[in-house]
Amino acid sequence: MPQHFDVAPVDATFGAVVTNLKLANLDEPAFRELYATWLEHALLIFPGQFLTREQQIAFARRFGALEFEMAAISNVKSDGTLRREADNDDVVKILKGNMGWHADSTYMPLQAKGAVFSAKVVPSARGETGWADMRAAYDALDAAVRDRVERLSAYHSLHYSQAKAGFQHKDKKSEYSGYGLHDGPVPLRPLVKTHPETGRKSLLIGRHAHNIPGMEPEESERLLDGLVEFACQAPRTYHHSWKPGEAVIWDNRCLLHRAMPWDMTEPRIMWHSRIAGDPASEAAIN
Ligand SMILES: [Fe+2]
């Protein structure tokens, strides 16, 4: 039983709502308990936090060095006007591309450890975030498939996933160049990842994964699409409807996530702080 807060698991193989705590002033014993709770549930949801920018960054930093401090995931431009979906600019393309299941920064040399994500402005409907438990998905594979995927790896690329989804980026110097349109060597990662802290195995798949070495591209795509379709099903998924002021932290080493559509004539402003992976366990293998 936790001593410092209350934990109510959601109706899925992972995820919990955590209440009766203030993320902005957790002492060290409370944080240690929270960290252990996070490793167990992989996704923690904190209602009513209303973190300031400084508070969110400071909270994220307690989980490790940051890949980046804070990025707006939003259809509101810096001048306050809305991006039109029909503009189909690079930000709209990334927002829509991220509606496919993925893990963050697998297309970079170092996969992310996790992320703190908070809701500032939410639309009147939709715009949920979904997560899927790749530990439970791995456990649910039948033995023959598990043996097969244990021996396989795949390349991960945001250029690949954006192009496959129909959101090709024309310009390398786009507004979203900082997001990870990575032009270095394409990272190669095993399909089965062992969690560096829990030791649990999980599937490392999602929209950036492609071109399994030793397979024809079509066969590789069929296998990877089939794994995502199998993995991202109840009871291994949870979709969260946001309220302003909510924050979450998820473990990017064992969950996939995706954005859900909303009416882009309504503003949606979310803040994302990304925690860097450990080079000992989250580096690409090539
Ligand atoms: Fe993401």
Side-chain angles (χ1 to χ4, degrees), residues 129-263:
T129 302
W131 289 270
D133 185 352
M134 294 301 104
R135 310 169 302 181
Y138 172 83
D139 293 346
L141 292 174
D142 54 60
V145 179
R146 198 181 305 161
D147 284 353
R148 186 178 184 209
V149 299
E150 289 272 8
R151 294 191 300 271
L152 299 176
S153 52
Y155 289 99
H156 288 247
S157 158
L158 184 58
H159 288 293
Y160 165 82
S161 51
Q162 286 296 92
K164 186 184 174 192
F167 304 124
Q168 198 95 47
H169 295 257
K170 297 181 291 288
D171 181 6
K172 279 185 181 174
K173 290 269 166 287
S174 79
E175 282 184 273
Y176 251 63
S177 59
Y179 191 85
L181 288 168
H182 177 61
D183 293 311
V186 180
L188 181 67
R189 301 181 177 282
L191 256 53
V192 177
K193 178 172 178 63
T194 300
H195 195 288
E197 297 186 271
T198 67
R200 278 190 77 177
K201 287 184 173 179
S202 64
L203 279 177
L204 179 49
I205 51 177
R207 72 189 193 101
H208 307 308
H210 66 291
N211 273 4
I212 294 172
M215 276 187 192
E216 291 300 317
E218 299 74 29
E219 186 192 1
S220 166
E221 189 170 314
R222 218 176 309 123
L223 174 64
L224 289 166
D225 286 350
L227 285 171
V228 169
E229 196 184 320
F230 167 80
C232 299
Q233 286 193 43
R236 298 181 287 275
T237 55
Y238 170 74
H239 288 82
H240 188 66
S241 298
W242 292 96
K243 293 186 182 66
E246 287 180 325
V248 306
I249 178 156
W250 78 81
D251 192 332
N252 191 62
R253 300 165 297 182
C254 58
L255 301 181
L256 296 184
H257 61 280
R258 67 172 174 182
M260 296 297 280
W262 79 96
D263 175 353

Side-chain angles (χ1 to χ4, degrees), residues 95-153:
L95 289 171
K96 292 180 124 183
N98 280 334
M99 293 174 185
W101 290 108
H102 65 282
D104 283 340
S105 302
T106 58
Y107 46 78
M108 301 293 280
L110 202 56
Q111 174 183 349
K113 176 177 183 177
V116 176
F117 198 42
S118 67
K120 175 87 173 162
V121 176
V122 302
S124 58
R126 305 302 313 276
E128 306 93 330
T129 302
W131 289 270
D133 185 352
M134 294 301 104
R135 310 169 302 181
Y138 172 83
D139 293 346
L141 292 174
D142 54 60
V145 179
R146 198 181 305 161
D147 284 353
R148 186 178 184 209
V149 299
E150 289 272 8
R151 294 191 300 271
L152 299 176
S153 52

